[in-house]
């Protein structure tokens, strides 16, 4: 999508600290981390919201969760991690290209 910052990162038009990439997802460091490890896992297909799920995207999301689980040790997440997807305004979503926040590297406080 033309004006999407994550599409530009995926295309290499904006630099990012990538830690993983394959044909369907990319994982890079969040520019403004809220935990010791804060990564963003982004599907290469542009869609904005979790609520735009369909069968193909559900398969993609399932494969993505499996990949994150298999990569946990090399991502520094062997002691645990939290995945967050913000949907819409009340959740504070600021980038309208679906992404999974991967948080870890330290004990994480639980909150809203
Ligand atoms: P949201 O609030 O939409 O769930 O999260 C968007 C996230 O993207 C935020 O945590 C923000 O710090 C991160 N972010 C926004 N712009 C950039 C950028 O240009 N590069 C990187 N690496 N992260 C970004
Ligand atoms: Zn996009």
């Amino acid at each position: 999508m033309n004006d999407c910052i994550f599409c530009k990162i995926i295309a290499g038009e904006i630099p990012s600290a990538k830690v993983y990439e394959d044909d369907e997802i990319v994982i890079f460091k969040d520019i403004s981390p809220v935990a010791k490890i804060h990564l963003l896992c982004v599907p290469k297909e542009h869609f904005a919201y979790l609520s735009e799920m369909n069968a193909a995207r559900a398969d993609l999301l399932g494969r993505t969760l499996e990949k994150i689980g298999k990569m946990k040790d090399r991502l520094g997440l062997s002691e645990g991690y939290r995945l967050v997807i913000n949907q819409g305004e009340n959740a504070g979503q600021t980038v309208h290209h679906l992404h999974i926040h991967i948080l870890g590297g330290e004990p994480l406080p639980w909150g809203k």
Side-chain angles (χ1 to χ4, degrees):
M1 202 192 167
N2 275 346
D3 221 25
C4 171
I5 195 156
F6 285 176
C7 281
K8 287 180 179 163
I9 286 175
I10 289 161
E13 292 164 14
I14 292 176
S16 69
K18 281 184 193 163
V19 299
Y20 177 79
E21 180 168 14
D22 64 22
D23 55 330
E24 56 187 7
I25 61 166
V26 60
I27 302 178
F28 53 88
K29 293 184 183 177
D30 195 294
I31 205 167
S32 183
V34 300
K36 199 165 170 191
I37 296 175
H38 186 174
L39 304 170
L40 297 171
C41 179
V42 184
K44 289 187 170 177
E45 181 203 358
H46 178 97
F47 62 102
Y49 302 111
L50 187 60
S51 57
E52 295 175 57
M53 198 49 53
N54 58 29
R57 289 169 181 168
D59 285 348
L60 167 67
L61 200 56
R63 286 192 298 278
T64 300
L65 296 180
E66 183 182 355
K67 286 173 193 172
I68 292 169
K70 286 184 170 151
M71 281 192 282
K72 69 178 173 56
D73 293 339
R74 77 174 174 91
L75 295 177
L77 302 166
S78 46
E79 303 304 313
Y81 56 95
R82 180 174 297 153
L83 304 181
V84 173
I85 298 175
N86 289 322
Q87 159 85 31
E89 203 174 331
N90 275 2
Q93 184 177 3
T94 57
V95 178
H96 300 277
H97 178 137
L98 186 99
H99 52 282
I100 305 170
H101 294 263
I102 305 174
L103 304 164
E106 61 182 337
L108 299 168
W110 183 240
K112 278 186 179 172

